[in-house]
Structures are given as C-alpha cells and as structure tokens.
Coordinates of all heavy atoms in Angstrom, one line a residue:
M1 N 96.3 25.9 96.9 CA 97.1 26.6 95.9 C 97.0 25.8 94.6 O 97.0 24.6 94.6 CB 98.5 26.8 96.3 CG 98.7 27.7 97.5 SD 99.4 29.3 97.1 CE 101.1 28.9 97.1
E2 N 96.9 26.6 93.5 CA 96.8 25.9 92.2 C 97.6 26.8 91.2 O 97.9 27.9 91.4 CB 95.4 25.8 91.8 CG 94.6 27.1 91.8 CD 93.2 27.0 91.3 OE1 92.9 26.2 90.4 OE2 92.3 27.6 91.9
F3 N 97.9 26.1 90.0 CA 98.5 26.9 89.0 C 97.5 27.8 88.4 O 96.4 27.5 88.0 CB 99.1 25.9 87.9 CG 100.4 25.4 88.2 CD1 100.6 24.1 88.6 CD2 101.5 26.3 88.1 CE1 101.9 23.7 88.9 CE2 102.8 25.8 88.4 CZ 103.0 24.5 88.8
K4 N 98.0 29.1 88.2 CA 97.2 30.1 87.6 C 97.9 30.7 86.4 O 99.1 30.7 86.4 CB 96.9 31.3 88.6 CG 96.1 30.9 89.8 CD 94.6 31.3 89.6 CE 93.8 31.1 90.8 NZ 94.1 32.0 91.9
K5 N 97.1 31.2 85.5 CA 97.7 31.9 84.4 C 97.7 33.4 84.7 O 96.6 34.0 84.9 CB 97.0 31.6 83.1 CG 97.7 32.0 81.8 CD 97.0 31.6 80.6 CE 97.7 32.0 79.4 NZ 96.9 31.9 78.2
C6 N 98.9 34.0 84.6 CA 99.0 35.4 85.0 C 98.1 36.3 84.0 O 98.2 36.1 82.8 CB 100.4 35.9 84.9 SG 100.6 37.7 85.2
E7 N 97.3 37.1 84.5 CA 96.4 37.9 83.7 C 97.1 39.0 82.9 O 96.6 39.7 82.1 CB 95.3 38.5 84.5 CG 94.3 37.5 85.0 CD 93.1 38.0 85.7 OE1 92.9 39.3 85.6 OE2 92.3 37.3 86.3
R8 N 98.4 39.3 83.3 CA 99.1 40.3 82.7 C 100.0 39.8 81.6 O 100.0 40.2 80.5 CB 100.0 41.0 83.7 CG 99.5 42.3 84.2 CD 100.6 43.1 85.0 NE 101.2 44.0 84.1 CZ 101.0 45.4 84.2 NH1 100.3 45.8 85.2 NH2 101.6 46.2 83.4
C9 N 100.9 38.8 81.9 CA 101.9 38.3 81.0 C 101.6 36.9 80.5 O 102.2 36.5 79.5 CB 103.3 38.3 81.6 SG 103.5 37.1 82.9
G10 N 100.6 36.2 81.1 CA 100.2 34.9 80.5 C 101.0 33.8 81.0 O 100.8 32.6 80.5
S11 N 102.0 34.0 81.8 CA 102.8 32.9 82.3 C 102.1 32.1 83.4 O 101.3 32.7 84.2 CB 104.2 33.4 82.7 OG 104.1 34.2 83.8
F12 N 102.5 30.9 83.6 CA 101.9 30.1 84.6 C 102.7 30.2 85.9 O 103.9 30.3 85.9 CB 101.8 28.6 84.2 CG 100.7 28.4 83.2 CD1 101.0 28.4 81.8 CD2 99.4 28.2 83.5 CE1 100.0 28.2 80.9 CE2 98.4 28.0 82.6 CZ 98.7 28.0 81.2
F13 N 102.0 30.2 87.0 CA 102.6 30.4 88.3 C 101.8 29.8 89.4 O 100.6 29.6 89.2 CB 102.9 31.9 88.6 CG 101.7 32.7 88.7 CD1 101.2 33.1 90.0 CD2 100.9 33.0 87.6 CE1 100.1 33.9 90.1 CE2 99.7 33.8 87.8 CZ 99.3 34.2 89.0
L14 N 102.3 29.6 90.6 CA 101.6 29.0 91.7 C 101.4 30.1 92.7 O 102.3 30.6 93.4 CB 102.5 27.9 92.3 CG 101.8 26.9 93.2 CD1 100.7 26.2 92.5 CD2 102.9 26.0 93.8
S15 N 100.1 30.5 92.9 CA 99.8 31.5 93.8 C 98.3 31.6 94.0 O 97.5 31.0 93.3 CB 100.3 32.9 93.3 OG 99.8 33.9 94.1
E16 N 97.9 32.3 95.0 CA 96.5 32.6 95.3 C 96.0 33.8 94.5 O 94.8 33.9 94.2 CB 96.3 33.0 96.8 CG 96.7 31.9 97.8 CD 95.6 30.9 98.0 OE1 94.4 31.3 98.0 OE2 95.9 29.8 98.3
S17 N 96.9 34.6 94.0 CA 96.5 35.8 93.3 C 96.4 35.5 91.8 O 96.7 34.4 91.3 CB 97.4 36.9 93.5 OG 98.4 37.0 92.5
N18 N 95.9 36.5 91.0 CA 95.7 36.3 89.6 C 96.9 36.8 88.8 O 96.9 36.8 87.6 CB 94.4 37.0 89.1 CG 93.2 36.3 89.7 OD1 93.1 35.1 89.8 ND2 92.2 37.1 90.1
I19 N 97.9 37.4 89.5 CA 99.0 38.0 88.9 C 100.3 37.4 89.4 O 100.4 37.2 90.6 CB 99.0 39.5 89.2 CG1 97.7 40.2 88.7 CG2 100.2 40.3 88.7 CD1 97.6 40.2 87.2
C20 N 101.2 37.1 88.5 CA 102.5 36.5 88.9 C 103.4 37.5 89.7 O 103.2 38.7 89.6 CB 103.2 35.9 87.7 SG 104.0 37.1 86.7
G21 N 104.4 36.9 90.3 CA 105.3 37.7 91.1 C 106.1 38.8 90.3 O 106.4 39.9 90.8
N22 N 106.3 38.5 89.0 CA 107.0 39.5 88.1 C 106.1 40.7 87.9 O 106.6 41.8 87.7 CB 107.3 38.8 86.8 CG 108.6 38.0 86.9 OD1 109.4 38.1 87.8 ND2 108.7 37.0 86.0
C23 N 104.8 40.4 87.7 CA 103.9 41.5 87.3 C 103.3 42.2 88.5 O 102.8 43.3 88.3 CB 102.8 40.9 86.5 SG 103.4 40.2 84.9
S24 N 103.3 41.6 89.7 CA 102.5 42.3 90.8 C 103.1 43.7 91.1 O 102.3 44.6 91.4 CB 102.4 41.4 92.0 OG 103.6 41.4 92.7
P25 N 104.4 43.9 91.1 CA 104.9 45.3 91.3 C 104.4 46.3 90.3 O 104.1 47.4 90.6 CB 106.4 45.2 91.2 CG 106.7 43.7 91.4 CD 105.6 43.0 90.9
K26 N 104.3 45.8 89.0 CA 103.7 46.7 88.0 C 102.3 47.0 88.2 O 101.8 48.1 88.0 CB 103.8 46.0 86.6 CG 105.3 45.8 86.1 CD 105.3 45.1 84.8 CE 106.6 44.4 84.6 NZ 106.5 43.3 83.5
D27 N 101.5 46.0 88.7 CA 100.1 46.2 89.0 C 100.0 47.2 90.2 O 99.2 48.1 90.1 CB 99.5 44.9 89.5 CG 98.6 44.3 88.4 OD1 98.8 44.6 87.2 OD2 97.6 43.6 88.8
T28 N 100.8 47.0 91.2 CA 100.8 47.9 92.4 C 101.1 49.3 91.9 O 100.4 50.3 92.3 CB 101.8 47.5 93.4 OG1 101.6 46.1 93.7 CG2 101.7 48.3 94.7
F29 N 102.1 49.5 91.1 CA 102.5 50.8 90.6 C 101.3 51.5 89.8 O 101.0 52.6 90.0 CB 103.7 50.7 89.7 CG 104.1 52.0 89.1 CD1 104.7 53.0 89.8 CD2 103.9 52.2 87.7 CE1 105.1 54.2 89.2 CE2 104.3 53.4 87.1 CZ 104.9 54.4 87.9
E30 N 100.7 50.7 88.9 CA 99.7 51.3 88.0 C 98.4 51.6 88.8 O 97.7 52.5 88.6 CB 99.4 50.3 86.9 CG 100.5 50.3 85.9 CD 100.2 49.5 84.6 OE1 99.2 48.7 84.6 OE2 100.9 49.6 83.7
L31 N 98.1 50.7 89.8 CA 97.0 50.9 90.7 C 97.1 52.2 91.5 O 96.1 53.0 91.6 CB 96.7 49.8 91.6 CG 95.9 48.6 91.0 CD1 96.0 47.4 91.9 CD2 94.4 49.1 90.9
S32 N 98.3 52.5 92.0 CA 98.5 53.7 92.7 C 98.4 54.9 91.8 O 97.9 56.0 92.2 CB 99.8 53.7 93.5 OG 100.9 53.8 92.7
K33 N 98.9 54.8 90.6 CA 98.8 55.8 89.6 C 97.3 56.1 89.3 O 96.9 57.3 89.2 CB 99.5 55.3 88.3 CG 100.0 56.4 87.4 CD 100.9 55.7 86.3 CE 101.3 56.6 85.2 NZ 102.1 55.8 84.2
L34 N 96.5 55.0 89.2 CA 95.1 55.2 88.8 C 94.3 55.8 90.0 O 93.5 56.7 89.7 CB 94.5 53.8 88.6 CG 93.2 53.7 87.8 CD1 93.3 54.3 86.5 CD2 92.8 52.2 87.6
R35 N 94.7 55.4 91.2 CA 94.0 56.1 92.4 C 94.3 57.6 92.4 O 93.4 58.4 92.6 CB 94.5 55.4 93.7 CG 93.9 54.1 94.0 CD 94.3 53.6 95.3 NE 94.1 52.1 95.4 CZ 95.1 51.3 95.3 NH1 96.4 51.7 95.4 NH2 94.9 50.0 95.3
T36 N 95.5 57.9 92.2 CA 95.9 59.3 92.1 C 95.1 60.1 91.0 O 94.7 61.2 91.2 CB 97.4 59.5 91.9 OG1 98.1 58.7 92.8 CG2 97.9 60.9 92.0
Y37 N 95.0 59.4 89.9 CA 94.3 60.0 88.7 C 92.9 60.3 89.1 O 92.4 61.3 88.8 CB 94.4 59.0 87.6 CG 93.7 59.5 86.3 CD1 94.1 60.5 85.5 CD2 92.5 58.8 85.9 CE1 93.4 60.9 84.4 CE2 91.8 59.2 84.8 CZ 92.3 60.3 84.0 OH 91.6 60.6 82.9
F38 N 92.2 59.3 89.7 CA 90.8 59.5 90.1 C 90.6 60.4 91.2 O 89.5 60.9 91.4 CB 90.2 58.1 90.4 CG 89.9 57.3 89.2 CD1 90.2 55.9 89.2 CD2 89.4 57.8 88.0 CE1 90.0 55.1 88.1 CE2 89.1 57.0 86.9 CZ 89.4 55.7 86.9
E39 N 91.6 60.7 92.0 CA 91.5 61.7 93.0 C 91.3 63.1 92.5 O 90.8 64.0 93.1 CB 92.7 61.7 93.9 CG 92.7 60.7 95.0 CD 94.0 60.5 95.7 OE1 94.9 61.3 95.6 OE2 94.1 59.4 96.4
G40 N 91.8 63.3 91.3 CA 91.7 64.6 90.6 C 90.4 64.8 90.0 O 89.5 64.0 90.2
D41 N 90.2 65.9 89.3 CA 89.0 66.2 88.6 C 88.9 65.4 87.3 O 89.6 65.7 86.3 CB 88.9 67.7 88.2 CG 88.1 68.4 89.2 OD1 87.3 67.8 89.9 OD2 88.3 69.7 89.3
V42 N 88.2 64.3 87.3 CA 88.1 63.4 86.2 C 86.8 63.6 85.4 O 85.7 63.4 86.0 CB 88.2 62.0 86.6 CG1 88.2 61.1 85.4 CG2 89.5 61.8 87.4
N43 N 86.9 64.2 84.2 CA 85.7 64.3 83.4 C 85.7 63.3 82.3 O 84.9 63.4 81.3 CB 85.7 65.7 82.8 CG 85.6 66.8 83.9 OD1 84.8 66.7 84.8 ND2 86.4 67.8 83.8
T44 N 86.5 62.3 82.5 CA 86.6 61.3 81.4 C 85.3 60.4 81.4 O 84.7 60.1 82.4 CB 87.8 60.4 81.8 OG1 88.9 61.2 81.9 CG2 88.0 59.3 80.7
T45 N 84.9 60.1 80.2 CA 83.8 59.2 80.0 C 84.1 58.0 79.3 O 83.3 57.1 79.1 CB 82.6 59.9 79.3 OG1 83.2 60.5 78.1 CG2 82.0 61.0 80.1
S46 N 85.4 57.9 78.9 CA 85.7 56.6 78.2 C 87.0 56.1 78.7 O 87.9 56.8 79.2 CB 85.9 56.9 76.7 OG 87.2 57.3 76.4
I47 N 87.1 54.8 78.7 CA 88.3 54.1 79.2 C 89.5 54.4 78.3 O 90.6 54.4 78.8 CB 88.0 52.6 79.3 CG1 89.0 51.9 80.2 CG2 88.0 51.9 77.9 CD1 88.5 50.6 80.8
D48 N 89.3 54.7 77.0 CA 90.4 55.0 76.1 C 91.1 56.3 76.6 O 92.3 56.3 76.6 CB 89.9 55.2 74.7 CG 89.4 53.9 74.1 OD1 90.2 53.0 74.1 OD2 88.3 53.8 73.6
S49 N 90.3 57.3 77.0 CA 91.0 58.5 77.4 C 91.7 58.3 78.8 O 92.8 59.0 79.0 CB 90.1 59.7 77.4 OG 88.9 59.4 78.1
I50 N 91.2 57.4 79.6 CA 91.9 57.1 80.9 C 93.3 56.5 80.5 O 94.3 56.8 81.1 CB 91.1 56.2 81.8 CG1 89.8 56.9 82.2 CG2 91.9 55.9 83.0 CD1 88.9 56.0 83.0
A51 N 93.2 55.6 79.5 CA 94.4 54.9 79.1 C 95.4 55.9 78.6 O 96.6 55.8 78.9 CB 94.1 53.8 78.0
V52 N 95.0 56.9 77.8 CA 95.9 57.9 77.2 C 96.5 58.7 78.4 O 97.7 59.0 78.4 CB 95.1 58.8 76.2 CG1 96.0 60.0 75.8 CG2 94.8 58.0 75.0
D53 N 95.6 59.1 79.3 CA 96.0 60.0 80.4 C 97.0 59.3 81.3 O 97.9 59.9 81.9 CB 94.8 60.5 81.2 CG 94.0 61.5 80.4 OD1 94.5 62.0 79.4 OD2 92.9 61.8 80.8
T54 N 96.8 58.0 81.6 CA 97.6 57.4 82.6 C 98.7 56.5 82.0 O 99.6 56.1 82.7 CB 96.7 56.4 83.5 OG1 96.1 55.5 82.6 CG2 95.6 57.2 84.2
G55 N 98.6 56.2 80.7 CA 99.6 55.3 80.1 C 99.4 53.9 80.5 O 100.2 53.0 80.2
I56 N 98.2 53.6 81.1 CA 97.9 52.2 81.4 C 97.1 51.6 80.3 O 96.2 52.2 79.8 CB 97.1 52.1 82.8 CG1 97.9 52.7 83.9 CG2 96.7 50.7 83.1 CD1 97.1 52.9 85.2
S57 N 97.4 50.3 79.9 CA 96.7 49.7 78.8 C 95.2 49.5 79.1 O 94.8 49.3 80.3 CB 97.3 48.4 78.4 OG 97.0 47.4 79.3
V58 N 94.4 49.6 78.1 CA 92.9 49.4 78.2 C 92.6 48.0 78.9 O 91.8 47.9 79.7 CB 92.2 49.5 76.9 CG1 90.7 49.1 77.0 CG2 92.3 50.9 76.4
K59 N 93.4 47.0 78.5 CA 93.2 45.7 79.0 C 93.4 45.7 80.5 O 92.6 45.1 81.3 CB 94.2 44.7 78.3 CG 94.0 43.3 78.7 CD 95.1 42.4 78.1 CE 95.1 41.0 78.7 NZ 96.4 40.4 78.7
N60 N 94.5 46.3 81.0 CA 94.8 46.4 82.4 C 93.7 47.3 83.1 O 93.3 46.9 84.2 CB 96.2 46.9 82.7 CG 97.2 45.8 82.4 OD1 96.9 44.6 82.6 ND2 98.4 46.2 81.9
L61 N 93.3 48.4 82.5 CA 92.3 49.2 83.1 C 91.0 48.5 83.3 O 90.4 48.6 84.4 CB 92.1 50.4 82.2 CG 93.1 51.6 82.3 CD1 92.8 52.6 81.2 CD2 93.1 52.2 83.6
N62 N 90.6 47.7 82.4 CA 89.4 46.9 82.5 C 89.5 46.0 83.7 O 88.5 45.8 84.5 CB 89.1 46.1 81.3 CG 88.3 46.9 80.3 OD1 87.3 47.5 80.6 ND2 88.7 46.9 79.0
R63 N 90.7 45.4 83.9 CA 90.9 44.5 85.0 C 90.9 45.3 86.4 O 90.2 44.9 87.3 CB 92.2 43.8 84.8 CG 92.5 42.7 85.8 CD 93.5 41.7 85.3 NE 94.7 42.4 84.8 CZ 95.7 42.9 85.6 NH1 95.6 42.7 86.9 NH2 96.7 43.5 85.2
Y64 N 91.5 46.4 86.4 CA 91.6 47.2 87.7 C 90.2 47.7 88.0 O 89.8 47.7 89.2 CB 92.5 48.4 87.5 CG 93.9 48.1 87.2 CD1 94.7 48.9 86.5 CD2 94.5 46.9 87.8 CE1 96.1 48.6 86.2 CE2 95.8 46.6 87.5 CZ 96.6 47.5 86.7 OH 97.9 47.2 86.5
L65 N 89.4 48.1 87.0 CA 88.1 48.7 87.3 C 87.1 47.7 87.7 O 86.0 48.1 88.2 CB 87.7 49.5 86.1 CG 88.5 50.8 85.8 CD1 88.2 51.3 84.4 CD2 88.2 51.8 86.9
E66 N 87.4 46.4 87.6 CA 86.6 45.4 88.2 C 86.7 45.4 89.7 O 85.9 44.8 90.4 CB 86.9 44.1 87.6 CG 86.3 43.9 86.2 CD 86.7 42.6 85.5 OE1 87.3 41.7 86.2 OE2 86.5 42.4 84.3
N67 N 87.8 46.0 90.2 CA 88.0 46.0 91.7 C 86.9 46.7 92.4 O 86.4 47.7 91.9 CB 89.3 46.7 92.0 CG 90.5 45.8 91.7 OD1 90.4 44.7 91.1 ND2 91.7 46.3 92.0
E68 N 86.5 46.2 93.6 CA 85.5 46.9 94.4 C 85.7 48.3 94.6 O 84.8 49.2 94.5 CB 85.4 46.1 95.7 CG 84.2 46.5 96.5 CD 82.8 46.2 95.9 OE1 82.8 45.1 95.2 OE2 81.9 47.0 96.0
E69 N 87.0 48.7 94.8 CA 87.3 50.1 95.2 C 87.0 51.1 94.0 O 86.8 52.3 94.2 CB 88.8 50.2 95.6 CG 89.7 50.0 94.4 CD 91.2 50.4 94.8 OE1 91.4 51.6 95.0 OE2 92.0 49.5 94.9
F70 N 86.9 50.6 92.8 CA 86.6 51.4 91.7 C 85.2 51.3 91.1 O 84.9 51.8 90.1 CB 87.6 51.2 90.5 CG 89.0 51.5 90.8 CD1 90.0 50.5 90.7 CD2 89.4 52.7 91.3 CE1 91.3 50.8 91.0 CE2 90.7 53.0 91.6 CZ 91.7 52.1 91.5
S71 N 84.4 50.6 91.9 CA 83.0 50.2 91.4 C 82.2 51.5 91.1 O 81.5 51.5 90.1 CB 82.3 49.3 92.4 OG 82.1 50.0 93.6
K72 N 82.3 52.5 91.9 CA 81.6 53.8 91.7 C 82.0 54.4 90.4 O 81.2 54.8 89.6 CB 81.9 54.8 92.8 CG 80.8 55.0 93.8 CD 81.2 56.1 94.7 CE 80.2 56.3 95.8 NZ 80.7 57.1 96.9
I73 N 83.3 54.4 90.2 CA 83.8 55.1 89.0 C 83.5 54.3 87.7 O 83.0 54.8 86.7 CB 85.4 55.2 89.1 CG1 85.7 56.2 90.1 CG2 86.0 55.6 87.7 CD1 87.1 56.0 90.8
S74 N 83.6 52.9 87.8 CA 83.3 52.1 86.6 C 81.8 52.1 86.3 O 81.5 52.1 85.1 CB 83.8 50.7 86.8 OG 83.4 50.1 87.9
S75 N 80.9 52.3 87.3 CA 79.5 52.3 87.0 C 79.2 53.7 86.3 O 78.4 53.8 85.4 CB 78.7 52.1 88.2 OG 78.8 53.1 89.1
K76 N 79.9 54.7 86.8 CA 79.7 56.0 86.2 C 80.2 56.1 84.8 O 79.6 56.7 83.9 CB 80.5 57.1 87.0 CG 80.1 58.5 86.8 CD 80.8 59.4 87.8 CE 81.8 60.4 87.1 NZ 82.7 61.1 88.1
L77 N 81.3 55.4 84.5 CA 81.8 55.3 83.2 C 81.1 54.3 82.3 O 81.3 54.2 81.1 CB 83.3 55.0 83.2 CG 84.2 56.1 83.9 CD1 85.6 55.6 84.0 CD2 84.1 57.4 83.2
N78 N 80.3 53.4 83.0 CA 79.6 52.4 82.3 C 80.6 51.5 81.6 O 80.4 51.1 80.4 CB 78.6 53.0 81.3 CG 77.5 51.9 81.0 OD1 77.3 51.0 81.7 ND2 77.0 52.1 79.8
I79 N 81.7 51.1 82.2 CA 82.7 50.3 81.6 C 83.0 49.1 82.4 O 83.8 48.2 82.1 CB 84.0 51.0 81.3 CG1 84.5 51.7 82.6 CG2 83.9 52.0 80.2 CD1 85.7 52.5 82.4
G80 N 82.3 48.9 83.6 CA 82.6 47.8 84.5 C 82.4 46.5 83.9 O 83.1 45.5 84.2
N81 N 81.5 46.3 83.0 CA 81.2 45.0 82.4 C 81.7 44.8 81.0 O 81.4 43.8 80.4 CB 79.7 44.8 82.4 CG 79.1 44.8 83.8 OD1 79.8 44.2 84.8 ND2 78.0 45.4 84.1
V82 N 82.5 45.8 80.6 CA 83.1 45.6 79.2 C 84.1 44.6 79.2 O 85.1 44.6 80.0 CB 83.6 47.0 78.7 CG1 84.3 46.8 77.4 CG2 82.5 48.0 78.6
K83 N 84.0 43.7 78.3 CA 85.1 42.7 78.1 C 85.7 42.9 76.7 O 84.9 43.1 75.7 CB 84.5 41.3 78.2 CG 84.0 40.9 79.6 CD 85.2 40.4 80.4 CE 84.7 40.1 81.8 NZ 85.6 40.6 82.9
L84 N 87.0 42.8 76.6 CA 87.6 42.9 75.3 C 87.6 41.6 74.5 O 87.7 40.6 75.1 CB 89.1 43.4 75.5 CG 89.2 44.8 76.0 CD1 90.7 45.1 76.2 CD2 88.6 45.8 75.0
Ligands
ZN1 ZN1 102.8 38.0 84.9

C-alpha cells in the first residue's frame, strides 16, 4: 500500500485504488448512471454531449471510459486516448 492522490478530489489517502473513500461512492453512482445511459440508444459522438446528458463531468467521463468495460464505446467515440 502507498499514498495515492485521489483522481477526483486530489486529497492524499492510503489505498490500492485511485479514488479515496469519500469519492468512491460518487464514482460508483456515476458509473452505474453511465452504464444505464449506454444501455439505451446512444447516438452520441462526443464526450461533451455525454457529459450534458448524464451530468457527469468530462474529466470524470474520460477516466471512466478508460475502463475495460467501456473500451468498445470509447473506441467508437474515439475518445479513449483523449487527455485533458
Ligand atoms: Zn477523493
């Protein structure tokens, strides 16, 4: 275990994950929202419109879409490698 900087709020914490304990419920909530969103008919081609539709910030969306489970979607949207 080592000190990590939370990718959401920037605070330091001791964990195996990249997200601190305060933020992980928010991540879980937004991820389930995102999964539900992608289950529908998504004609979105930009991460900005996903952000508008879901209310999830572009910064967090970029992080979520790096997950293996969204690899199909992010390659389709061509946003998987976008860094802000
Ligand atoms: Zn945090």
Side-chain angles (χ1 to χ4, degrees):
M1 296 252 275
E2 53 178 322
F3 273 108
K4 292 264 185 71
K5 194 177 179 194
C6 175
E7 290 187 11
R8 261 192 97 108
C9 69
S11 65
F12 287 94
F13 64 105
L14 194 63
S15 169
E16 299 275 327
S17 93
N18 293 321
I19 298 297
C20 76
N22 282 338
C23 295
S24 80
K26 295 177 201 163
D27 254 31
T28 306
F29 176 74
E30 288 185 349
L31 272 168
S32 71
K33 205 170 171 182
L34 197 58
R35 281 187 203 107
T36 309
Y37 177 71
F38 285 136
E39 276 169 16
D41 264 336
V42 182
N43 296 314
T44 304
T45 50
S46 87
I47 200 160
D48 289 305
S49 46
I50 300 174
V52 171
D53 287 347
T54 58
I56 301 170
S57 75
V58 171
K59 185 185 167 205
N60 284 326
L61 280 172
N62 274 312
R63 189 159 50 80
Y64 298 148
L65 290 168
E66 282 174 10
N67 288 2
E68 189 62 40
E69 66 170 294
F70 297 125
S71 60
K72 252 187 187 165
I73 292 154
S74 53
S75 66
K76 196 170 116 193
L77 298 174
N78 200 26
I79 50 180
N81 297 317
V82 174
K83 293 275 179 227
L84 290 178

